[in-house]
Each structure stands twice: as structure tokens, then as C-alpha cells.
Amino acid sequence: MNTTDRAPNRCKERCTRIVALDYLRVLAVIVLLFFHIGMIWVPDWQFHFKQQTNWFWLQHIMMLSSPWRMGLLWFIAGTSLYFMQQKYGMRYLLIRRSNAILLPLLFGIYCVVPIQLFVEMTYKNAIDTSFTDFLIVFYFGPSDYFEGFSSGIWHHVDVNHLWFLRSLWRFTLLLIIFHWLLHSIRQRFGCFHAYWLALFVVVVMFTMHIDDADTKRDVYGFSCLVFGFLFGGTDEFWRWLKRYLRAIVGFAMVTTILYQTGFGIERYLPAHDAVARYWVNNIAMFSYYFAKAIVLIAILAVADLIFDKPNLMVTKVNRYVFPFYVLHQSVLIAVAFTVSHYALSAMFSMLITLLAAAFISFVLLLLCRYSNCVGALLGKPSMPGHWLTSLPAHVVIAAITLPLAFRLVGLT
């Protein structure tokens, strides 16, 4: 990549991988694993399968990562897409990257996500059947069997935790369509300054006023992705983070304390004290949404300071992050559902679930290592020179995933 300035106002771009993002990509999915296992045992919050507890302390631990965990993945995705576009061009994003997202998504909604649907329907007493019989009905049975569980891409065929892949593909398409506009912005206003951070914060804070949960999530995700696409690959951005590291971390810590304290106090306020509840809730919510931006920036700044040297193991593990993301939630829910049939304490059940799910995921990821076909289905990049990287293979994959692509953009 050419790092020479072609215009006075154009910032220099990094010519190598950003080491910190390799570490953060691995850490982000580990956080996601613990967050989703917490969702099974934490009180109040809805999930596909629940175990009843009064562990409100667990909510506060999970809320430490709740504001920024997905924003971090979106920022990394945006930066990665920028480097891919710079190295391979827009056709690569349109064909090869599109295939690398849609094929695992197609495989996931038909072969991975049904596990969660079976557990959820069984848990809610909607069905009483074996998993084998459930799959027969899932693929070949009548649609009314899934009454009450029909929200999905195709009736009961849903994305569940794979919504990230659905949105990632849509956002990649938007980047391709509006590439000329983003390129113009980079050319004229590409150097990172505080006003870009202010604009990012304003957009994130705006999502607080969006009622629809999916729209709220997508607006936040797309803003983080565009932020990473525009600035994640520039030296100026990372130098700016280093220059203001203490201030950024300070703001992040204060913001985290405010929303954690606010949500904690709100739980114990009398229901009839409407004024106090109003102000405490508003301060907590404002701080929470502010944290979605500022804590994300703080994590990037700290990671760039700490993770300054490449690590061979981290580089290797990065190849399995995508497959792990596709698999992990279904594995967790299946294991937790199985463990729930035994009379175990909540803490011991969680520990057993975590260890068993980690082991099963590890075994499944080994299949990706020794089978390029399994790896492709789960999103692991194929080795250079393998037939899956050939143009005919990508044409076939594009043809297979075309109905899904049409569905995702509302053409069918």
C-alpha cells in the first residue's frame, strides 16, 4: 500500500496489519462467549434458554462489556474491509468477500441455528419431540408447526446470533454502493481530528432515541463500521489515540461508573418515586449510550499501547474466529439445555456448560483445520491455491447463495 501523501490534506495509511486489532478480534469473541453464557443465567434479560437465578451481580459484570462488545467487532470489520478494498479492489468485496459471508450464513441458518430453535421451543413447552423429528419437520414439515416462532428470513428459518453476518453483508453492499462518497470524504476530510470523534458520539447517542431494536442495533453497527473503514487504517487515528490516551480512559471510566451505579440504584428505588426513577434512569441511559462510543475508543487506545508486537499464535487463532462465532451460541445453548436435566447447582451448571462448550467448539474447529470444505461452510479462509479459491468455485457459491442475497435486500 502506498503510504505517500498524494495531497496535503490526505493522511498516511498503515502499510501493514494493525497488530492490536488481531488481538482484539480474539478477545472480542471470548468476551462474546462469556456474555452469551451469562445470558442463560442472568435474571430478567430475555434469551432462547434461561436458568432462573437472582444473580443481579452478574448483570453488572456483563454490563461492563455490553455497551461496546459489538461495536468493537464492527470497528474491526470496517477496518478489515478497508484493507481488503485497498489490496484487492471493490470486485473482491462484491464477489469473494460476499461469498465468504453468505455461505456461512446460509449454512448457519439451516444447520446451526435450528439447534437453538429446538431448545427454545422445548423450553417454552411448544413441542415435545426428539431433535431428529424436529429437524424433519423443520426442513419438510408444515409451517403452522412453528406458530409463534415464525419470525425469520424464510418463515421459521431465522438468523438468531448470526444477525451480525446478515448485517455485515448488507453493510458491505452499502460500502460498495457508496464507495465513491466515502472515497471523497477520505480525500477531502480524511485526517482524524476530535470533531470526527464528536460526530461519531452524536450518531451513537442518536440511537438512544430509536424505538425499533433491530434498527437501533444496525444504526450503531453501521456507524462503527464506517468509522473503522474511514479511520482504522490511518496512522493519524492511532497517533491521536496515543496522544489523548489518559483523557479517553478517564472519560470511559467515569462513564462506566455512572451507568453501573445508575442502573444499580434504580433497582432499589421505590416504584412510586417516579421523579427519582426518571432522573436516575435518564442519567444511566445517557451514560450507557455515551459508553458505546467512548469506551470503545478507550479500548482501541489501550490495546494499541499494549499489543504492539505480532504473535504467531494470535495470527493463527484469527483464522478460526469466524467459525467460532458461527458455532458458539448453538453449542452453548445445547450444552446448557442438556446440563439442565441434572440436579446441579447454578454455579456448577455454568462451569460445566462453559468447559463442555469450549471442548466441543474446539473439536468442531479442528474439522475446519483438516477440511477446507467444512472451513468454507463456517467462514474459515481457504488456503491459497485450493480449488475453493478458484473463480469457478466462487461462481458456484454465488449461485447457491443468490436466493439468500435477494431475500436479504428484499427482492423476494
Side-chain angles (χ1 to χ4, degrees):
M1 186 184 300
N2 185 6
T3 60
T4 304
D5 288 346
R6 297 182 180 178
N9 60 347
R10 184 179 180 184
C11 291
K12 292 185 177 181
E13 301 158 354
R14 291 197 173 188
C15 58
T16 59
R17 292 179 67 91
I18 299 175
V19 174
L21 295 188
D22 286 339
Y23 284 87
L24 285 176
R25 189 180 290 107
V26 175
L27 291 175
V29 296
I30 293 175
V31 169
L32 203 60
L33 170 68
F34 281 97
F35 189 89
H36 283 154
I37 195 171
M39 286 296 295
I40 298 173
W41 276 273
V42 76
D44 297 338
W45 299 345
Q46 295 297 315
F47 200 52
H48 306 286
F49 174 68
K50 298 290 292 186
Q51 292 283 65
Q52 296 303 316
T53 69
N54 61 350
W55 292 352
F56 290 103
W57 57 267
L58 183 58
Q59 284 186 348
H60 287 282
I61 293 176
M62 293 168 64
M63 280 195 295
L64 289 173
S65 67
S66 182
W68 52 263
R69 58 188 174 83
M70 295 309 301
L72 179 59
L73 286 174
W74 284 122
F75 179 90
I76 295 171
T79 305
S80 299
L81 287 172
Y82 172 72
F83 280 126
M84 290 178 191
Q85 182 267 323
Q86 288 293 100
K87 186 174 182 179
Y88 301 111
M90 298 305 295
R91 190 172 69 173
Y92 176 91
L93 296 184
L94 182 61
I95 300 176
R96 294 180 181 265
R97 189 56 186 166
S98 179
N99 286 347
I101 297 171
L102 288 179
L103 183 61
L105 178 57
L106 184 66
F107 177 78
I109 62 177
Y110 277 105
C111 300
V112 179
V113 171
I115 297 171
Q116 300 177 50
L117 182 59
F118 168 75
V119 171
E120 183 175 8
M121 293 181 71
T122 304
Y123 166 67
K124 295 180 178 178
N125 297 315
I127 59 172
D128 183 15
T129 185
S130 68
F131 183 58
T132 302
D133 291 338
F134 168 82
L135 287 181
I136 293 174
V137 180
F138 181 86
Y139 294 124
F140 308 108
S143 297
D144 57 6
Y145 183 85
F146 300 94
E147 185 177 354
F149 300 86
S150 60
S151 176
I153 295 178
W154 288 293
H155 194 62
H156 56 280
V157 181
D158 203 359
V159 291
N160 282 8
H161 70 290
L162 299 183
W163 66 267
F164 180 84
L165 302 187
R166 175 187 61 188
S167 296
L168 178 59
W169 182 79
R170 288 172 172 170
F171 295 166
T172 302
L173 196 62
L174 287 176
L175 290 181
I176 294 171
I177 294 173
F178 295 104
H179 170 65
W180 63 271
L181 177 60
L182 294 174
H183 177 72
S184 176
I185 292 174
R186 287 183 63 89
Q187 287 292 103
R188 297 188 61 184
F189 313 106
C191 288
F192 185 81
H193 297 287
Y195 56 76
W196 282 114
L197 177 58
L199 178 60
F200 176 60
V201 171
V202 168
V203 173
V204 172
M205 295 301 295
F206 167 76
T207 63
M208 182 170 59
H209 304 287
I210 300 176
D211 294 328
D212 183 71
D214 289 340
T215 303
K216 182 195 297 280
R217 184 175 62 187
D218 279 349
V219 171
Y220 172 67
F222 188 63
S223 64
C224 293
L225 181 132
V226 171
F227 194 73
F229 187 85
L230 289 174
F231 305 115
T234 64
D235 279 331
E236 181 66 21
F237 172 73
W238 298 97
R239 284 197 300 266
W240 191 91
L241 294 184
K242 186 175 296 185
R243 187 181 311 130
Y244 297 103
L245 174 65
R246 291 185 179 181
I248 295 170
V249 172
F251 273 115
M253 292 177 65
V254 170
T255 302
T256 302
I257 292 171
L258 280 174
Y259 76 73
Q260 288 277 23
T261 304
F263 288 133
I265 293 175
E266 184 184 19
R267 185 176 299 115
Y268 297 102
L269 286 175
H272 60 81
D273 196 348
V275 175
R277 293 182 68 87
Y278 172 83
W279 283 107
V280 170
N281 177 263
N282 274 272
I283 292 172
M285 290 299 295
F286 183 90
S287 302
Y288 181 86
Y289 277 85
F290 187 72
K292 291 169 78 73
I294 198 64
V295 177
L296 168 61
I297 298 299
I299 289 171
L300 293 173
V302 172
D304 191 50
L305 180 67
I306 297 175
F307 305 125
D308 59 343
K309 294 182 180 180
N311 182 284
L312 181 60
M313 181 58 67
V314 172
T315 302
K316 290 182 178 180
V317 171
N318 262 268
R319 297 177 61 84
Y320 296 91
V321 165
F322 202 134
F324 179 79
Y325 174 80
V326 173
L327 293 169
H328 81 282
Q329 184 167 298
S330 290
V331 173
L332 272 178
I333 290 175
V335 173
F337 178 68
T338 303
V339 171
S340 69
H341 291 83
Y342 300 92
L344 303 175
S345 67
M347 189 64 73
F348 191 58
S349 295
M350 176 184 280
L351 179 61
I352 293 296
T353 299
L354 177 61
L355 294 176
F359 175 76
I360 293 171
S361 298
F362 176 76
V363 172
L364 293 174
L365 291 178
L366 285 179
L367 297 176
C368 296
R369 179 180 181 182
Y370 296 108
S371 172
N372 279 285
C373 291
V374 174
L377 290 173
L378 293 174
K380 179 178 176 290
S382 300
M383 298 300 294
H386 192 270
W387 64 269
L388 283 169
T389 64
S390 66
L391 182 60
H394 279 282
V395 171
V396 171
I397 293 172
I400 293 173
T401 58
L402 191 60
L404 176 60
F406 282 160
R407 183 68 175 177
L408 293 182
V409 296
L411 294 180
T412 58

